Amino acid sequence: MIDSARRLGLVLGDQLSFDLSLFDALDPQEDVLLLAEVAEEARYVAHHPQKIALIFSAMRHFADALRERGWRVIYVRFDDPHNSGSLPGELRRWSDRLRAREVHITECGEWRLQQALEDSGLPLNWHEDRRVLCSRADFARWAAGRRQLRMELFYREMRRRSGLLLEPDGQPCGGSWNLDAENRKALPKGLRGPFPARFLADDVTREVLELVAERFGDHYGRLEGFDYPVTHAEAQALWQHFLDFALAAFGDYQDAMACGEPFLFHARISAALNIGLLDVRQLCADVESAYRQGRVPLNAAEGFIRQLIGWREYVRGIYWLRMPEYAELNAFGNRRALPEFYWTGATGMRCMAEAIGQTLELGYAHHIQRLMVTGNFALLAGIAPKAICEWYLAVYLDAFDWVELPNTLGMVMHADGGYLGSKPYCASGRYIQRMSDYCGGCAYRVDEATGPRACPFNALYWHFLMRHAERLERNPRMAMAYRNLRRMDEVRREALWQRGEELLARLDAGEAL
Ligand code: DLZ
Ligand code: SF4
């Protein structure tokens, strides 16, 4: 029975790391750590049931592991009758009850929660989250005085700072910083990803699964089949599986998509990484040694490291630099509601049905499915940024606002007007056809742009270009697209516009496409 503490330290559901800076400030003998399952975190969006199961189970396992390491831990379960339902509420309840003189916490990933804690009036001592390579202050220093923030420049800086994949003279291994152009091979027919690593539920997870089934049955997404790693050891096993069986091909097929292949050569570690079960420095070091030992090609190693120390750190930096006003941006003035089929997968567009279907089943889709299928559709269809951002935040197991918001609002929707990405990632059905085997079995025809059977991505793509010409036409990276548009005769342009209008009207009428 823990009845008093000098200091109370709060560990959040995405801070399940043994090297949290918070632990340095506390003393296992005299101080107490608090972890709490609370309704406010579980319900602020309708998280995928597997996401709640992952976080609750990983939190329970982590609390046990901390106790084994000698910490005094208070763990508040979701169905505890005294549970106040919020993290500020639990902090107040326990700091009063234990008569704690100080409350300590590692900085939050999400602005929303950080604000709620700051507004709580509790005497908080904040600690930097050193699990990220680039702190908020570091990023602000890098960004200061720059007219444009470009991922590429940030990434080079991070490569230099971390020393990853550098030659002794400081130049990048292989002579170029970014091998993105070598990450875009289409999947050869019949090539399949390795058999996925699966993790069976233990007693702790089984109890959590029962709780989630009972209390979150109203959230979209399937709970059955949950097989994610929930401990550090399991996450490490998933990582090792990727190093052994997938990394070598990851480079070539990073952007490929195939029916019935939700993971291909992707690591599926983002959820474990984002809640703290894996360490970004260790992952990068492992990938670098795989390359140096000749086990994987450079395009795989560089492509993977770019995602971690480039994109991931870059979006986190932008998030903390620009919140809270970033969340309100809507450069195209989009207002359209999110179509119902995002929550059900019931659409004749096979690419969308595949990406959404696996999302509901697994809480996972890889970056090109998110960017170029569900994201591209939302961009072309003019969905309100808040609605599509909320969808991504809810349905993906790895989604936390700091990573989801800039990726969706900035990169997918271009709603920040080009702050994060220099051009919108808009594409017609042709891109999806090139990168996947989806189009073959689709109800629509990818080589048609008008008429009732024409692939909706085609007319919506041209409609998007036409309706936003004023904003986009002068963007040099869009020049080719607008040249193609201008080359069309007026009748063709009009037919595309009409087909686009018809598709958008059907969406507005609540019809599935
Ligand atoms: C996502 C999530 C969920 C579903 N539940 C909890 C919870 O019950 N307790 C908790 O501490 N954290 C949870 N989380 C993660 C938090 O939402 C996450 O730590 C913050 O959003 C990061 O600022
Ligand atoms: Fe998607 Fe169009 Fe291909 Fe169908 S034809 S799978 S809608 S890109």
Side-chain angles (χ1 to χ4, degrees):
M1 175 76 179
I2 301 172
D3 54 12
S4 71
R6 201 160 57 102
R7 290 175 294 199
L8 182 62
L10 178 66
V11 179
L12 300 174
D14 60 351
Q15 296 180 339
L16 310 180
S17 312
F18 292 112
D19 61 350
L20 219 53
S21 48
L22 172 77
F23 299 148
D24 294 350
L26 301 181
D27 175 350
Q29 311 295 324
E30 297 187 55
D31 301 329
V32 166
L33 298 175
L34 171 68
L35 289 93
E37 298 170 3
V38 293
E40 203 164 87
E41 294 309 304
R43 294 205 194 277
Y44 74 92
V45 288
H47 297 290
H48 195 297
Q50 291 194 36
K51 181 176 180 186
I52 302 173
L54 167 71
I55 290 172
F56 285 7
S57 176
M59 284 173 69
R60 291 183 187 192
H61 281 98
F62 190 63
D64 288 343
L66 288 170
R67 285 191 189 105
E68 272 166 34
R69 290 177 175 222
W71 285 96
R72 299 196 297 161
V73 177
I74 288 175
Y75 193 92
V76 181
R77 288 182 172 226
F78 191 78
D79 45 13
D80 179 335
H82 302 292
N83 191 331
S84 63
S86 78
L87 290 166
E90 284 312 279
L91 256 190
R92 181 173 305 285
R93 182 161 78 95
W94 285 100
S95 63
D96 288 352
R97 192 150 150 195
L98 303 176
R99 296 177 307 280
R101 270 174 282 155
E102 292 171 22
V103 177
H104 288 254
I105 177 165
T106 310
E107 59 191 17
C108 300
E110 301 198 346
W111 186 88
R112 168 195 61 82
L113 183 60
Q114 173 121 351
Q115 202 57 32
L117 286 163
E118 274 170 3
D119 291 347
S120 70
L122 288 158
L124 297 176
N125 295 270
W126 289 99
H127 299 272
E128 194 171 280
D129 191 344
R130 62 181 177 210
R131 299 173 304 165
V132 289
L133 301 180
C134 185
S135 69
R136 293 178 196 174
D138 271 357
F139 191 86
R141 269 193 293 276
W142 177 78
R146 282 174 200 265
R147 213 163 38 85
Q148 280 195 319
L149 303 186
R150 285 286 160 254
M151 196 298 282
E152 185 58 29
L153 298 180
F154 173 77
Y155 170 53
R156 288 181 194 181
E157 178 90 12
M158 294 298 284
R159 284 276 291 280
R160 287 195 195 95
R161 256 176 59 172
S162 63
L164 286 161
L165 296 179
L166 295 185
E167 300 294 358
D169 64 358
Q171 289 305 302
C173 289
S176 74
W177 291 101
N178 186 327
L179 302 181
D180 189 31
E182 293 174 39
N183 293 143
R184 299 179 193 156
K185 278 199 187 150
L187 204 67
K189 218 177 166 58
L191 184 64
R192 293 284 172 244
F195 194 78
R198 305 197 57 186
F199 298 88
L200 295 181
D202 62 3
D203 290 347
V204 174
T205 301
R206 264 196 295 275
E207 204 181 337
V208 165
L209 289 172
E210 269 171 39
L211 170 84
V212 173
E214 200 178 300
R215 305 297 292 270
F216 299 96
D218 54 330
H219 290 198
Y220 284 95
R222 199 174 111 135
L223 182 61
E224 297 74 32
F226 176 84
D227 67 353
Y228 273 80
V230 292
T231 64
H232 288 257
E234 287 181 348
Q236 188 56 37
L238 176 64
W239 173 240
Q240 194 58 49
H241 179 276
F242 171 70
L243 288 174
D244 292 343
F245 303 116
L247 175 60
F250 169 80
D252 283 351
Y253 305 118
Q254 206 183 115
D255 290 2
M257 300 175 282
C259 289
E261 282 284 312
F263 311 127
L264 280 172
F265 301 96
H266 290 265
R268 203 172 56 130
I269 53 150
S270 46
L273 175 62
N274 290 351
I275 64 172
L277 299 183
L278 292 167
D279 171 59
V280 74
R281 292 175 181 82
Q282 186 62 52
L283 303 183
C284 290
D286 289 348
V287 170
E288 168 149 39
S289 16
Y291 164 68
R292 300 233 183 240
Q293 290 162 12
R295 284 183 280 132
V296 303
L298 185 59
N299 72 335
E302 189 281 321
F304 193 87
I305 285 174
R306 184 182 346 119
Q307 298 299 338
L308 290 191
I309 70 167
W311 281 113
R312 185 171 185 271
E313 298 273 338
Y314 175 69
V315 297
R316 189 170 170 117
I318 286 189
Y319 179 81
W320 279 101
L321 195 66
R322 296 287 307 270
M323 280 299 277
E325 104 277 5
Y326 195 78
E328 303 304 318
L329 300 176
N330 185 359
F332 291 130
N334 290 341
R335 309 244 172 284
R336 187 156 286 111
L338 189 71
E340 178 65 17
F341 57 75
Y342 271 78
W343 299 106
T344 61
T347 159
M349 294 180 284
R350 190 157 184 218
C351 53
M352 292 286 282
E354 280 281 327
I356 295 169
Q358 73 166 75
T359 297
L360 296 172
E361 195 181 323
L362 305 161
Y364 177 84
H366 71 64
H367 74 149
I368 290 298
Q369 294 175 302
R370 297 190 205 191
L371 182 63
M372 300 309 292
V373 180
T374 45
N376 185 25
F377 187 87
L379 172 71
L380 301 183
I383 305 303
K386 273 196 194 299
I388 187 70
C389 288
E390 188 172 313
W391 183 78
Y392 278 94
L393 187 59
V395 296
Y396 289 112
L397 265 61
D398 53 23
F400 291 89
D401 204 40
W402 65 266
V403 62
E404 174 281 319
L405 186 77
N407 268 306
T408 309
L409 187 141
M411 193 156 170
V412 166
M413 298 302 290
H414 207 67
D416 62 3
Y419 185 73
L420 186 144
S422 53
K423 79 182 245 313
Y425 282 85
C426 51
S428 68
R430 198 127 57 105
Y431 173 86
I432 296 174
Q433 181 191 32
R434 190 168 66 244
M435 297 312 297
S436 77
D437 62 3
Y438 292 152
C439 299
C442 182
Y444 295 99
R445 307 219 166 93
V446 71
D447 45 9
E448 293 177 18
T450 55
R453 290 273 143 248
C455 166
F457 280 89
N458 292 337
L460 287 176
Y461 169 74
W462 295 112
H463 194 281
F464 171 82
L465 291 183
M466 288 187 251
R467 72 179 186 268
H468 296 304
E470 205 177 316
R471 176 176 276 275
L472 298 176
E473 209 162 12
R474 282 182 304 278
N475 181 334
R477 297 198 60 202
M478 298 295 289
M480 172 113 98
Y482 279 97
R483 245 194 328 273
N484 290 338
L485 181 64
R486 264 182 260 111
R487 261 198 227 123
M488 281 177 199
D489 64 54
E490 190 54 40
V491 178
R492 175 85 180 144
R493 266 203 300 266
E494 179 58 22
L496 288 168
W497 179 262
Q498 285 311 328
R499 166 77 174 152
E501 288 283 292
E502 174 213 321
L503 291 165
L504 295 176
R506 283 173 57 190
L507 291 180
D508 289 340
E511 276 180 49
L513 295 183

PDB file of all heavy atoms in Angstrom, residues 251-276:
ATOM      1  N   GLY A 251      13.779  -1.054 -49.427  1.00  0.00           N
ATOM      2  CA  GLY A 251      14.228   0.074 -50.239  1.00  0.00           C
ATOM      3  C   GLY A 251      13.546   0.107 -51.598  1.00  0.00           C
ATOM      4  O   GLY A 251      12.940   1.101 -51.993  1.00  0.00           O
ATOM      5  N   ASP A 252      13.587  -1.006 -52.289  1.00  0.00           N
ATOM      6  CA  ASP A 252      13.006  -1.048 -53.638  1.00  0.00           C
ATOM      7  C   ASP A 252      11.490  -0.836 -53.619  1.00  0.00           C
ATOM      8  O   ASP A 252      10.948  -0.146 -54.470  1.00  0.00           O
ATOM      9  CB  ASP A 252      13.268  -2.417 -54.282  1.00  0.00           C
ATOM     10  CG  ASP A 252      14.706  -2.525 -54.781  1.00  0.00           C
ATOM     11  OD1 ASP A 252      15.418  -1.498 -54.780  1.00  0.00           O
ATOM     12  OD2 ASP A 252      15.110  -3.646 -55.168  1.00  0.00           O
ATOM     13  N   TYR A 253      10.815  -1.486 -52.679  1.00  0.00           N
ATOM     14  CA  TYR A 253       9.344  -1.563 -52.761  1.00  0.00           C
ATOM     15  C   TYR A 253       8.630  -0.726 -51.714  1.00  0.00           C
ATOM     16  O   TYR A 253       7.490  -1.007 -51.361  1.00  0.00           O
ATOM     17  CB  TYR A 253       8.906  -3.033 -52.692  1.00  0.00           C
ATOM     18  CG  TYR A 253       9.587  -3.863 -53.753  1.00  0.00           C
ATOM     19  CD1 TYR A 253      10.431  -4.909 -53.421  1.00  0.00           C
ATOM     20  CD2 TYR A 253       9.428  -3.548 -55.098  1.00  0.00           C
ATOM     21  CE1 TYR A 253      11.092  -5.641 -54.402  1.00  0.00           C
ATOM     22  CE2 TYR A 253      10.082  -4.263 -56.091  1.00  0.00           C
ATOM     23  CZ  TYR A 253      10.916  -5.305 -55.729  1.00  0.00           C
ATOM     24  OH  TYR A 253      11.571  -6.014 -56.708  1.00  0.00           O
ATOM     25  N   GLN A 254       9.313   0.308 -51.221  1.00  0.00           N
ATOM     26  CA  GLN A 254       8.723   1.160 -50.194  1.00  0.00           C
ATOM     27  C   GLN A 254       7.382   1.747 -50.627  1.00  0.00           C
ATOM     28  O   GLN A 254       6.500   1.961 -49.811  1.00  0.00           O
ATOM     29  CB  GLN A 254       9.708   2.296 -49.920  1.00  0.00           C
ATOM     30  CG  GLN A 254       9.593   2.875 -48.541  1.00  0.00           C
ATOM     31  CD  GLN A 254      10.543   4.052 -48.330  1.00  0.00           C
ATOM     32  OE1 GLN A 254      10.103   5.170 -48.141  1.00  0.00           O
ATOM     33  NE2 GLN A 254      11.837   3.807 -48.343  1.00  0.00           N
ATOM     34  N   ASP A 255       7.230   2.030 -51.905  1.00  0.00           N
ATOM     35  CA  ASP A 255       6.014   2.700 -52.375  1.00  0.00           C
ATOM     36  C   ASP A 255       5.033   1.753 -53.068  1.00  0.00           C
ATOM     37  O   ASP A 255       4.013   2.187 -53.589  1.00  0.00           O
ATOM     38  CB  ASP A 255       6.386   3.831 -53.354  1.00  0.00           C
ATOM     39  CG  ASP A 255       7.077   4.997 -52.641  1.00  0.00           C
ATOM     40  OD1 ASP A 255       7.284   4.904 -51.415  1.00  0.00           O
ATOM     41  OD2 ASP A 255       7.405   5.987 -53.316  1.00  0.00           O
ATOM     42  N   ALA A 256       5.350   0.456 -53.093  1.00  0.00           N
ATOM     43  CA  ALA A 256       4.481  -0.484 -53.813  1.00  0.00           C
ATOM     44  C   ALA A 256       3.276  -0.876 -52.974  1.00  0.00           C
ATOM     45  O   ALA A 256       3.308  -0.835 -51.743  1.00  0.00           O
ATOM     46  CB  ALA A 256       5.288  -1.730 -54.183  1.00  0.00           C
ATOM     47  N   MET A 257       2.205  -1.281 -53.656  1.00  0.00           N
ATOM     48  CA  MET A 257       0.984  -1.702 -52.955  1.00  0.00           C
ATOM     49  C   MET A 257       0.441  -2.941 -53.663  1.00  0.00           C
ATOM     50  O   MET A 257       0.522  -3.040 -54.887  1.00  0.00           O
ATOM     51  CB  MET A 257      -0.076  -0.603 -53.023  1.00  0.00           C
ATOM     52  CG  MET A 257       0.373   0.704 -52.380  1.00  0.00           C
ATOM     53  SD  MET A 257      -0.809   2.060 -52.579  1.00  0.00           S
ATOM     54  CE  MET A 257      -0.517   2.588 -54.264  1.00  0.00           C
ATOM     55  N   ALA A 258      -0.102  -3.877 -52.878  1.00  0.00           N
ATOM     56  CA  ALA A 258      -0.644  -5.087 -53.496  1.00  0.00           C
ATOM     57  C   ALA A 258      -1.838  -5.599 -52.703  1.00  0.00           C
ATOM     58  O   ALA A 258      -1.869  -5.514 -51.473  1.00  0.00           O
ATOM     59  CB  ALA A 258       0.436  -6.181 -53.558  1.00  0.00           C
ATOM     60  N   CYS A 259      -2.819  -6.131 -53.442  1.00  0.00           N
ATOM     61  CA  CYS A 259      -4.019  -6.682 -52.806  1.00  0.00           C
ATOM     62  C   CYS A 259      -3.631  -7.774 -51.817  1.00  0.00           C
ATOM     63  O   CYS A 259      -2.772  -8.610 -52.117  1.00  0.00           O
ATOM     64  CB  CYS A 259      -4.927  -7.314 -53.853  1.00  0.00           C
ATOM     65  SG  CYS A 259      -5.707  -6.107 -54.904  1.00  0.00           S
ATOM     66  N   GLY A 260      -4.261  -7.774 -50.672  1.00  0.00           N
ATOM     67  CA  GLY A 260      -4.037  -8.838 -49.703  1.00  0.00           C
ATOM     68  C   GLY A 260      -2.669  -8.817 -49.065  1.00  0.00           C
ATOM     69  O   GLY A 260      -2.276  -9.768 -48.389  1.00  0.00           O
ATOM     70  N   GLU A 261      -1.897  -7.746 -49.286  1.00  0.00           N
ATOM     71  CA  GLU A 261      -0.543  -7.639 -48.720  1.00  0.00           C
ATOM     72  C   GLU A 261      -0.462  -6.351 -47.898  1.00  0.00           C
ATOM     73  O   GLU A 261       0.092  -5.349 -48.354  1.00  0.00           O
ATOM     74  CB  GLU A 261       0.496  -7.580 -49.846  1.00  0.00           C
ATOM     75  CG  GLU A 261       0.815  -8.899 -50.465  1.00  0.00           C
ATOM     76  CD  GLU A 261       1.717  -9.752 -49.577  1.00  0.00           C
ATOM     77  OE1 GLU A 261       2.732  -9.262 -49.060  1.00  0.00           O
ATOM     78  OE2 GLU A 261       1.379 -10.926 -49.391  1.00  0.00           O
ATOM     79  N   PRO A 262      -1.005  -6.387 -46.693  1.00  0.00           N
ATOM     80  CA  PRO A 262      -1.043  -5.123 -45.937  1.00  0.00           C
ATOM     81  C   PRO A 262       0.332  -4.604 -45.527  1.00  0.00           C
ATOM     82  O   PRO A 262       0.510  -3.412 -45.357  1.00  0.00           O
ATOM     83  CB  PRO A 262      -1.885  -5.463 -44.704  1.00  0.00           C
ATOM     84  CG  PRO A 262      -1.852  -6.948 -44.588  1.00  0.00           C
ATOM     85  CD  PRO A 262      -1.680  -7.480 -45.975  1.00  0.00           C
ATOM     86  N   PHE A 263       1.304  -5.499 -45.375  1.00  0.00           N
ATOM     87  CA  PHE A 263       2.597  -5.046 -44.824  1.00  0.00           C
ATOM     88  C   PHE A 263       3.716  -5.012 -45.852  1.00  0.00           C
ATOM     89  O   PHE A 263       4.645  -4.228 -45.720  1.00  0.00           O
ATOM     90  CB  PHE A 263       3.031  -5.941 -43.653  1.00  0.00           C
ATOM     91  CG  PHE A 263       1.958  -6.162 -42.632  1.00  0.00           C
ATOM     92  CD1 PHE A 263       1.589  -7.441 -42.223  1.00  0.00           C
ATOM     93  CD2 PHE A 263       1.276  -5.079 -42.099  1.00  0.00           C
ATOM     94  CE1 PHE A 263       0.577  -7.631 -41.290  1.00  0.00           C
ATOM     95  CE2 PHE A 263       0.265  -5.256 -41.168  1.00  0.00           C
ATOM     96  CZ  PHE A 263      -0.081  -6.542 -40.759  1.00  0.00           C
ATOM     97  N   LEU A 264       3.665  -5.892 -46.846  1.00  0.00           N
ATOM     98  CA  LEU A 264       4.760  -6.021 -47.810  1.00  0.00           C
ATOM     99  C   LEU A 264       6.096  -6.044 -47.076  1.00  0.00           C
ATOM    100  O   LEU A 264       6.295  -6.879 -46.210  1.00  0.00           O
ATOM    101  CB  LEU A 264       4.693  -4.898 -48.843  1.00  0.00           C
ATOM    102  CG  LEU A 264       3.680  -5.144 -49.955  1.00  0.00           C
ATOM    103  CD1 LEU A 264       3.541  -3.907 -50.830  1.00  0.00           C
ATOM    104  CD2 LEU A 264       4.053  -6.356 -50.804  1.00  0.00           C
ATOM    105  N   PHE A 265       6.988  -5.087 -47.380  1.00  0.00           N
ATOM    106  CA  PHE A 265       8.301  -5.101 -46.725  1.00  0.00           C
ATOM    107  C   PHE A 265       8.421  -3.995 -45.670  1.00  0.00           C
ATOM    108  O   PHE A 265       9.517  -3.579 -45.322  1.00  0.00           O
ATOM    109  CB  PHE A 265       9.406  -5.016 -47.776  1.00  0.00           C
ATOM    110  CG  PHE A 265       9.341  -6.162 -48.748  1.00  0.00           C
ATOM    111  CD1 PHE A 265       8.693  -6.036 -49.967  1.00  0.00           C
ATOM    112  CD2 PHE A 265       9.875  -7.398 -48.408  1.00  0.00           C
ATOM    113  CE1 PHE A 265       8.594  -7.100 -50.849  1.00  0.00           C
ATOM    114  CE2 PHE A 265       9.779  -8.474 -49.274  1.00  0.00           C
ATOM    115  CZ  PHE A 265       9.146  -8.326 -50.499  1.00  0.00           C
ATOM    116  N   HIS A 266       7.273  -3.542 -45.204  1.00  0.00           N
ATOM    117  CA  HIS A 266       7.285  -2.490 -44.174  1.00  0.00           C
ATOM    118  C   HIS A 266       7.451  -3.118 -42.794  1.00  0.00           C
ATOM    119  O   HIS A 266       7.069  -4.257 -42.562  1.00  0.00           O
ATOM    120  CB  HIS A 266       6.004  -1.660 -44.247  1.00  0.00           C
ATOM    121  CG  HIS A 266       5.952  -0.817 -45.476  1.00  0.00           C
ATOM    122  ND1 HIS A 266       6.357   0.501 -45.486  1.00  0.00           N
ATOM    123  CD2 HIS A 266       5.610  -1.117 -46.748  1.00  0.00           C
ATOM    124  CE1 HIS A 266       6.243   0.978 -46.716  1.00  0.00           C
ATOM    125  NE2 HIS A 266       5.795   0.019 -47.503  1.00  0.00           N
ATOM    126  N   ALA A 267       8.020  -2.323 -41.873  1.00  0.00           N
ATOM    127  CA  ALA A 267       8.393  -2.884 -40.567  1.00  0.00           C
ATOM    128  C   ALA A 267       7.204  -3.006 -39.612  1.00  0.00           C
ATOM    129  O   ALA A 267       7.226  -3.823 -38.706  1.00  0.00           O
ATOM    130  CB  ALA A 267       9.470  -2.016 -39.928  1.00  0.00           C
ATOM    131  N   ARG A 268       6.204  -2.179 -39.784  1.00  0.00           N
ATOM    132  CA  ARG A 268       5.044  -2.171 -38.884  1.00  0.00           C
ATOM    133  C   ARG A 268       5.464  -1.877 -37.437  1.00  0.00           C
ATOM    134  O   ARG A 268       4.820  -2.334 -36.501  1.00  0.00           O
ATOM    135  CB  ARG A 268       4.309  -3.521 -38.974  1.00  0.00           C
ATOM    136  CG  ARG A 268       2.868  -3.412 -38.538  1.00  0.00           C
ATOM    137  CD  ARG A 268       2.042  -4.651 -38.771  1.00  0.00           C
ATOM    138  NE  ARG A 268       2.511  -5.867 -38.205  1.00  0.00           N
ATOM    139  CZ  ARG A 268       1.772  -6.710 -37.470  1.00  0.00           C
ATOM    140  NH1 ARG A 268       0.535  -6.419 -37.188  1.00  0.00           N
ATOM    141  NH2 ARG A 268       2.265  -7.839 -37.030  1.00  0.00           N
ATOM    142  N   ILE A 269       6.539  -1.130 -37.275  1.00  0.00           N
ATOM    143  CA  ILE A 269       7.011  -0.847 -35.910  1.00  0.00           C
ATOM    144  C   ILE A 269       6.553   0.518 -35.410  1.00  0.00           C
ATOM    145  O   ILE A 269       6.848   0.883 -34.277  1.00  0.00           O
ATOM    146  CB  ILE A 269       8.554  -0.858 -35.828  1.00  0.00           C
ATOM    147  CG1 ILE A 269       9.132   0.089 -36.880  1.00  0.00           C
ATOM    148  CG2 ILE A 269       9.120  -2.256 -35.942  1.00  0.00           C
ATOM    149  CD1 ILE A 269      10.420   0.695 -36.483  1.00  0.00           C
ATOM    150  N   SER A 270       5.864   1.292 -36.274  1.00  0.00           N
ATOM    151  CA  SER A 270       5.592   2.682 -35.891  1.00  0.00           C
ATOM    152  C   SER A 270       4.788   2.788 -34.596  1.00  0.00           C
ATOM    153  O   SER A 270       5.052   3.670 -33.778  1.00  0.00           O
ATOM    154  CB  SER A 270       4.891   3.423 -37.027  1.00  0.00           C
ATOM    155  OG  SER A 270       3.852   2.629 -37.542  1.00  0.00           O
ATOM    156  N   ALA A 271       3.827   1.892 -34.396  1.00  0.00           N
ATOM    157  CA  ALA A 271       3.030   1.975 -33.162  1.00  0.00           C
ATOM    158  C   ALA A 271       3.928   1.717 -31.953  1.00  0.00           C
ATOM    159  O   ALA A 271       3.896   2.472 -30.971  1.00  0.00           O
ATOM    160  CB  ALA A 271       1.873   0.978 -33.213  1.00  0.00           C
ATOM    161  N   ALA A 272       4.747   0.672 -32.028  1.00  0.00           N
ATOM    162  CA  ALA A 272       5.636   0.343 -30.900  1.00  0.00           C
ATOM    163  C   ALA A 272       6.630   1.490 -30.658  1.00  0.00           C
ATOM    164  O   ALA A 272       6.914   1.865 -29.517  1.00  0.00           O
ATOM    165  CB  ALA A 272       6.381  -0.957 -31.182  1.00  0.00           C
ATOM    166  N   LEU A 273       7.139   2.060 -31.734  1.00  0.00           N
ATOM    167  CA  LEU A 273       8.092   3.167 -31.596  1.00  0.00           C
ATOM    168  C   LEU A 273       7.416   4.388 -30.965  1.00  0.00           C
ATOM    169  O   LEU A 273       7.963   5.011 -30.054  1.00  0.00           O
ATOM    170  CB  LEU A 273       8.650   3.522 -32.983  1.00  0.00           C
ATOM    171  CG  LEU A 273       9.579   4.723 -33.062  1.00  0.00           C
ATOM    172  CD1 LEU A 273      10.836   4.499 -32.229  1.00  0.00           C
ATOM    173  CD2 LEU A 273       9.969   5.022 -34.513  1.00  0.00           C
ATOM    174  N   ASN A 274       6.214   4.699 -31.436  1.00  0.00           N
ATOM    175  CA  ASN A 274       5.564   5.919 -30.965  1.00  0.00           C
ATOM    176  C   ASN A 274       5.083   5.833 -29.523  1.00  0.00           C
ATOM    177  O   ASN A 274       4.835   6.856 -28.898  1.00  0.00           O
ATOM    178  CB  ASN A 274       4.399   6.300 -31.897  1.00  0.00           C
ATOM    179  CG  ASN A 274       4.908   6.785 -33.238  1.00  0.00           C
ATOM    180  OD1 ASN A 274       6.112   7.003 -33.423  1.00  0.00           O
ATOM    181  ND2 ASN A 274       4.012   6.943 -34.197  1.00  0.00           N
ATOM    182  N   ILE A 275       4.929   4.631 -28.980  1.00  0.00           N
ATOM    183  CA  ILE A 275       4.557   4.565 -27.556  1.00  0.00           C
ATOM    184  C   ILE A 275       5.781   4.300 -26.683  1.00  0.00           C
ATOM    185  O   ILE A 275       5.657   4.163 -25.473  1.00  0.00           O
ATOM    186  CB  ILE A 275       3.434   3.538 -27.273  1.00  0.00           C
ATOM    187  CG1 ILE A 275       3.857   2.100 -27.593  1.00  0.00           C
ATOM    188  CG2 ILE A 275       2.162   3.912 -28.017  1.00  0.00           C
ATOM    189  CD1 ILE A 275       2.826   1.060 -27.147  1.00  0.00           C
ATOM    190  N   GLY A 276       6.946   4.161 -27.285  1.00  0.00           N
ATOM    191  CA  GLY A 276       8.166   4.095 -26.481  1.00  0.00           C
ATOM    192  C   GLY A 276       8.753   2.708 -26.309  1.00  0.00           C
ATOM    193  O   GLY A 276       9.698   2.533 -25.550  1.00  0.00           O
TER     194      GLY A 276
END
